[in-house]
Amino acid sequence: MKTGGDFISTGSDAFLGRILNQDGVSVGTCFQVHPGVLVTAFHVLQQALAIDLDLELEVGRVVSFSSLDGPDSLHFPAEIFAVDKRADLAVLKAENALSGSISHLMRSDIPQPGDEFQMVGFGTLRESYFDAEYMRLSARGRWNGVERQGDGFQIASGDAPGTAQGMSGCPVIRGVDDAVIGVLSGRYNSVDGWSHGRVWISRVESLLPLIPPGVPVPLQQFPAPAVPTGVSALTVSELDRTSLTSDERFFLPEAWRDAWEDATSAFSAGQIIVVKASPGVGATTFASCLLARITPDQTSIVQLEPGDWDSPTASAIPSKPHCAYLLDLKDPDHDLPSTAFMRDLEKTAELLNGLQSRLVLTIRESLLRGLSLAEFSHVHVVRLVDPPDPRTLVLRHLGVQAPQLVSVAKSEDVARHLDGMNAVQAAVGAAEIENLAEGWSGDSAEIGTLVARIAQSLDSYVGVLDLAFTDSSNSHSAPGGEKAADSPQQNLSAADRCLLLALSFKGKSRIALLEEDAQRLSSMLAGRVESSGKRSLYDVLAGPGVRGRLRTIGAKIAYGEIAVMARPAMATAVVRYVWDNYKSLREAVVDWLLQAEISDSSEFPDAASWISGLIKHGQDIDFVKNELKRVARRQSDDAVLAAVLSSLISDPHFRRQCDRLLYDWAERVELQPVVIEVARREYISSLRPIVLRRLQRVADAEKTHQKVPDLILQAFRAFIASDRSRNSFENAVEFWVRDYPTNMCAQYAAVAMIGSGRNVEWLIGLEGRGIRVGGLLAQLMLDPAGHASIGSLFASTAGDLERYEWLVVKLAEAAQEDGAILGILGLSSMLRGLGIAQDPMADLADRLELRLPRISEGN
């Protein structure tokens, strides 16, 4: 089939065409439902073939068609495939296809009376003494419903006064979702004025039997379920198919091959695919790359983000044609799938299949415990047990990002440290290799040094640390790792373990300060152990002094009495070892870390970087929800909590859980400053709507922190000041002013906009777009915090009497219609000090028929 051919693409009209008679003259409209499959009205073909209206059309006869705006001379043949004279419908097949097809069909019994629709097609209009042809003519209308004639035959109708001759056969497209809900048959030509503007519409139900078998036309067979009140729609973002299919970092590991083939079969069968896996295995990568490779090119791959739902809700899943949806369920508090949810997905699967769409869920394996999925025939579960081989994964990453380092990563001294990593850790390892090699000239003579540096950084030192942290009563040589003079040589006392951990966190420190930090850490850990009912943490008073102890832990003393790690790369290994093996002490460690003087130089990580890195390493968001929140609140350190969350939310593996956590915290008074700060940091770079929903939730909360007004205004002003976020934020503000004019979020946004120079012109623009500003102005008048904004509005009208009078009228209307008379009175002193030629208080008083002193009369 010649798709597109020599036709001119008309963008959104690319699926529309014209039917020509034997003289090449347009007689009606047609549209394409699938490449080479056209639909038109039966009577249009009768006109095209000059057949008497009482006669039948023979299947197999040929007519000519052209694109909607193509020249009459450029036309192609189409064969009549099927007809239904009573329904006034015909289907054609052509070798030459139009350059586009409709979005989807919808059964005509689904639209509701009053639904808006649009019709576009060829048309002729009578202009004085001649008929003028229009290659494109549109008409808007409203759906009436399905009518029943005397013999029981059903046909739909609508009201569309702009319908013209020649538009017969065009699709009737519902405005809300671009669904074709019928085919224009004709206009009701009233002779007595009754039913003026009514049009008859052939039903989709009559069209379906005429479409050639096996032609995959998306069809919505029943209404999409309504989203329950209080459940937000899922945030959607389209993934780039080309990027996914051309990404050389992806490979299909042998461990995934059976799951891949299993999922492919389930996709073809129209089942919803559930990919279950442990964190870090690579389930999201598996699902997105699978969809990119097995879905048709016209299918959009769409990532869904749950946002703020309390539990998975099937009705929140969108149902658009030609979409492959990918939904990650990770949060144990809000993404726990229930039996009811899985059952509801059966209807979702049926709806999506009709629309040539699919759904893949990736679910953390722990969330499915206790839930049997075998009973749901519409769901197919595939399990990923093992991650891809970390050595291969790192080589793939480096092959794309830094090909010159592939040979370095292949070195056994480097590669052996990659073994045992999951997919996320391997990707981090590849990035670490890149960072460590930064500045390397490529000189082969330096490869040995580079390999040693990378190997040292990637080394977990598990053998050395197992020995160092072994109970002295059970001392033994631990396997693995290197035993050298610059690493611990024996099992360490508890005090020395604290000394090693403190120096690992700090990177370098004056000896005296380091010893104090280690003692404080020892004390805090001891309190943690004793409070848990375990044995007391022993300490050693005798033995070597701090210098000897530094040598014992494998540290060295630099000039100026500065203690540093002899092997700097070992610091991360020490910290991770303690974090992984002493879970009960994590809170105490972080408590100490936030009090310690950690270097703020780029040479060593700060406290927030350490904490976020450890959380990512262990895939442990629960630590933020519980221990970190407690420590931060205890130390009144909102900054570190915000910094950690900002780092985590930028990581796709943690975004969903952070979104939900911050949504919940938005109504926790003591945590609202954290929510605002994370939003301020994130929005300019991500532009995600959910970030603004969080701020809206904070602003409109029943109780708010005393810092909320200042912090939200700072955030809003930052969004306005940034070229990247300004337009999207202003669009959100319009939505707030229109739908929530009396809410605090709209008031804060208006104050920020006005303070940033969006004055009366901005308000006039809102009114011009049908957004009433009276409710907003009333709130600004009633709240003393908004008075300065009213003053700025008046100051901006200086020298422009028309704008000044508009503002006076709007304020007076707001005072009367929105109950803000007292707000007007409260503006008196502020308005009298503006220094403009007019007297706003007097003019407002005149409008409202109030007796107030004028400026010339004094106070």
Side-chain angles (χ1 to χ4, degrees):
M1 176 175 292
K2 302 172 184 176
T3 303
D6 297 319
F7 287 129
I8 301 171
S9 173
T10 55
S12 60
D13 297 339
F15 54 83
L16 294 170
R18 294 175 290 128
I19 300 295
L20 312 177
N21 66 15
Q22 295 168 330
D23 297 324
V25 177
S26 300
V27 295
T29 304
C30 65
F31 61 95
Q32 184 168 265
V33 296
H34 183 77
V37 180
L38 307 172
V39 174
T40 189
F42 178 90
H43 77 268
V44 169
L45 297 186
Q46 287 182 311
Q47 295 176 37
L49 295 172
I51 295 176
D52 190 280
L53 296 181
D54 294 330
L55 298 179
E56 297 291 338
L57 277 175
E58 296 178 9
V59 171
R61 293 197 64 175
V62 176
V63 296
S64 296
F65 75 102
S66 178
S67 63
L68 191 63
D69 59 357
D72 289 344
S73 59
L74 187 62
H75 57 81
F76 295 90
E79 181 182 292
I80 300 175
F81 176 81
V83 297
D84 184 334
K85 181 179 180 181
R86 181 65 194 274
D88 196 20
L89 287 170
V91 172
L92 314 173
K93 291 185 71 175
E95 284 297 317
N96 294 82
L98 295 172
S99 54
S101 298
I102 62 167
S103 167
H104 63 295
L105 297 172
M106 175 185 286
R107 292 178 63 93
S108 300
D109 57 3
I110 295 177
Q112 297 299 303
D115 282 358
E116 293 185 355
F117 63 76
Q118 183 178 27
M119 301 181 296
V120 178
F122 164 79
T124 61
L125 292 175
R126 187 69 182 174
E127 307 243 356
S128 62
Y129 57 88
F130 67 96
D131 290 332
E133 288 190 347
Y134 289 82
M135 293 298 101
R136 184 188 190 281
L137 198 63
S138 62
R140 288 191 168 278
R142 289 189 179 275
W143 187 259
N144 290 331
V146 176
E147 320 294 357
R148 188 184 302 275
Q149 296 180 348
D151 60 358
F153 182 76
Q154 293 182 323
I155 188 169
S157 77
D159 293 315
T163 307
Q165 187 175 358
M167 294 178 69
S168 294
C170 76
V172 179
I173 301 175
R174 194 165 76 153
V176 70
D177 52 15
D178 291 336
V180 173
I181 55 178
V183 182
L184 179 63
S185 175
R187 179 181 57 192
Y188 180 75
N189 297 308
S190 172
V191 296
D192 55 9
W194 291 97
S195 290
H196 176 71
R198 181 185 291 268
V199 291
W200 299 117
I201 300 168
S202 300
R203 298 163 60 236
V204 168
E205 289 86 338
S206 301
L207 172 63
L208 294 177
L210 307 182
I211 295 175
V215 173
V217 180
L219 169 68
Q220 184 169 338
Q221 303 190 61
F222 52 86
V227 180
T229 303
V231 175
S232 298
L234 302 182
T235 302
V236 301
S237 56
E238 185 171 350
L239 303 182
D240 189 326
R241 175 189 296 275
T242 302
S243 296
L244 289 171
T245 53
S246 62
D247 190 349
E248 296 179 6
R249 293 171 297 182
F250 176 76
F251 67 99
L252 183 60
E254 191 61 36
W256 288 3
R257 194 167 300 279
D258 289 345
W260 185 279
E261 294 175 359
D262 203 14
T264 301
S265 299
F267 183 92
S268 299
Q271 292 176 294
I272 290 175
I273 301 170
V274 172
V275 182
K276 68 176 183 177
S278 297
V281 170
T284 303
T285 299
F286 172 92
S288 59
C289 290
L290 173 78
L291 291 176
R293 286 161 175 78
I294 68 174
T295 55
D297 289 342
Q298 72 267 28
T299 298
S300 299
I301 303 170
V302 180
Q303 179 80 53
L304 302 177
E305 293 188 19
D308 51 16
W309 66 12
D310 288 323
S311 61
T313 306
S315 59
I317 297 171
S319 52
K320 301 292 184 183
H322 294 302
C323 286
Y325 295 110
L326 175 58
L327 174 60
D328 290 330
L329 299 180
K330 299 177 179 178
D331 190 330
D333 294 326
H334 302 287
D335 289 347
L336 197 64
S338 63
T339 300
F341 169 69
M342 300 308 298
R343 188 181 300 114
D344 290 343
L345 286 180
E346 182 171 9
K347 203 70 173 175
T348 302
E350 185 180 349
L351 179 61
L352 292 178
N353 284 338
L355 294 168
Q356 309 293 314
S357 295
R358 295 291 188 271
L359 172 65
V360 176
L361 305 176
T362 61
I363 305 181
R364 181 171 292 189
E365 191 163 17
S366 59
L367 301 186
L368 291 173
R369 288 175 187 154
L371 181 63
S372 173
L373 300 181
E375 61 182 280
F376 305 112
S377 59
H378 58 282
V379 171
H380 187 83
V381 181
V382 297
R383 186 186 181 206
L384 300 182
V385 179
D386 299 315
D389 173 59
R391 295 192 182 201
T392 306
L393 191 56
V394 168
L395 292 178
R396 289 276 186 155
H397 274 263
L398 293 178
V400 173
Q401 302 295 125
Q404 72 278 12
L405 296 177
V406 169
S407 60
V408 174
K410 285 183 176 180
S411 165
E412 185 61 25
D413 286 343
V414 171
R416 64 188 174 88
H417 296 301
L418 304 174
D419 294 339
M421 290 183 174
N422 63 31
V424 175
Q425 292 165 347
V428 172
E432 189 173 348
I433 291 173
E434 282 189 71
N435 292 335
L436 291 168
E438 188 175 352
W440 178 48
S441 64
D443 187 348
S444 58
E446 299 175 359
I447 286 183
T449 303
L450 179 61
V451 166
R453 185 165 70 247
I454 293 173
Q456 189 181 71
S457 178
L458 294 177
D459 193 349
S460 67
Y461 294 90
V462 64
V464 173
L465 294 173
D466 277 346
L467 176 61
F469 283 80
T470 297
D471 190 335
S472 59
S473 62
N474 294 309
S475 179
H476 64 278
S477 294
E482 297 181 15
K483 296 174 66 175
D486 51 6
S487 62
Q489 297 296 295
Q490 60 191 43
N491 59 79
L492 302 176
S493 69
D496 287 347
R497 296 177 193 184
C498 291
L499 186 68
L500 175 59
L501 183 57
L503 183 56
S504 297
F505 270 120
K506 294 171 73 70
K508 67 179 180 181
S509 174
R510 288 193 174 276
I511 294 175
L513 180 59
L514 177 63
E515 187 173 25
E516 290 178 8
D517 284 335
Q519 289 172 350
R520 185 166 60 253
L521 176 58
S522 176
S523 176
M524 295 176 74
L525 294 182
R528 177 69 181 178
V529 171
E530 291 168 1
S531 67
S532 66
K534 298 180 180 179
R535 64 182 176 84
S536 297
L537 188 73
Y538 66 91
D539 203 347
V540 179
L541 299 178
V546 66
R547 288 174 177 272
R549 292 170 58 205
L550 286 170
R551 286 193 296 272
T552 300
I553 67 171
K556 66 181 181 180
I557 301 171
Y559 177 76
E561 293 292 287
I562 302 294
V564 297
M565 297 291 290
R567 290 189 173 191
M570 188 176 173
T572 300
V574 170
V575 171
R576 286 182 177 176
Y577 186 92
V578 173
W579 191 266
D580 292 342
N581 291 283
Y582 298 90
K583 188 172 182 179
S584 64
L585 299 180
R586 289 179 180 178
E587 183 173 346
V589 169
V590 170
D591 210 346
W592 169 85
L593 182 60
L594 296 189
Q595 297 179 35
E597 294 183 15
I598 303 296
S599 172
D600 58 359
S601 72
S602 58
E603 184 180 1
F604 302 107
D606 59 15
S609 298
W610 270 119
I611 296 168
S612 58
L614 289 168
I615 292 169
K616 291 177 183 179
H617 168 72
Q619 300 273 294
D620 185 14
I621 193 67
D622 287 339
F623 184 80
V624 180
K625 298 179 181 179
N626 302 307
E627 291 92 340
L628 181 58
K629 182 187 71 175
R630 282 199 299 268
V631 172
R633 298 309 307 148
R634 193 159 56 237
Q635 297 196 25
S636 300
D637 196 340
D638 289 342
V640 73
L641 193 53
V644 169
L645 280 165
S646 295
S647 174
L648 294 177
I649 207 167
S650 65
D651 187 325
H653 298 92
F654 290 91
R655 183 173 299 140
R656 159 65 185 137
Q657 296 176 76
C658 289
D659 279 339
R660 183 64 225 197
L661 182 63
L662 290 165
Y663 180 84
D664 291 340
W665 284 5
E667 292 192 337
R668 297 277 299 275
V669 173
E670 73 280 8
L671 293 168
Q672 288 170 341
V674 175
V675 177
I676 297 171
E677 176 59 17
V678 175
R680 186 191 66 79
R681 295 183 183 207
E682 182 194 0
Y683 184 66
I684 293 175
S685 60
S686 74
L687 301 183
R688 295 195 304 137
I690 194 172
V691 180
L692 295 184
R693 289 209 301 272
R694 270 187 244 132
L695 291 178
Q696 180 183 3
R697 189 167 165 84
V698 172
D700 296 340
E702 186 176 348
K703 295 181 180 179
T704 58
H705 193 282
Q706 61 183 0
K707 294 182 179 179
V708 162
D710 288 340
L711 293 177
I712 281 194
L713 285 174
Q714 289 173 21
F716 285 175
R717 287 166 183 150
F719 301 159
I720 296 168
S722 168
D723 291 339
R724 175 173 171 76
S725 59
R726 184 180 304 117
N727 288 341
S728 61
F729 177 69
E730 289 184 358
N731 289 338
V733 174
E734 287 197 14
F735 170 73
W736 290 341
V737 173
R738 184 188 68 230
D739 288 16
Y740 307 103
T742 61
N743 287 23
M744 290 304 299
C745 64
Q747 184 174 326
Y748 289 139
V751 169
M753 295 285 284
I754 294 168
S756 301
R758 305 321 193 266
N759 291 313
V760 173
E761 281 294 336
W762 173 60
L763 295 177
I764 292 175
L766 293 179
E767 288 265 337
R769 291 188 287 278
I771 301 173
R772 182 178 178 274
V773 299
L776 175 65
L777 290 174
Q779 294 304 306
L780 293 177
M781 288 188 288
L782 290 169
D783 187 346
H787 290 181
S789 296
I790 299 294
S792 296
L793 290 174
F794 273 115
S796 71
T797 66
D800 190 333
L801 186 59
E802 183 179 353
R803 297 285 184 266
Y804 171 83
E805 291 179 347
W806 183 91
L807 180 58
V808 169
V809 169
K810 290 299 174 183
L811 288 171
E813 288 177 356
Q816 289 177 319
E817 297 175 13
D818 297 276
I821 294 291
L822 292 178
I824 291 280
L825 299 177
L827 293 171
S828 178
S829 59
M830 183 275 297
L831 291 179
R832 293 184 185 281
L834 285 179
I836 60 176
Q838 293 83 13
D839 185 346
M841 280 304 299
D843 292 333
L844 285 169
D846 288 346
R847 280 274 172 185
L848 298 169
E849 297 182 355
L850 299 174
R851 172 57 184 160
L852 295 174
R854 293 180 176 272
I855 292 177
S856 59
E857 298 176 17
N859 292 327

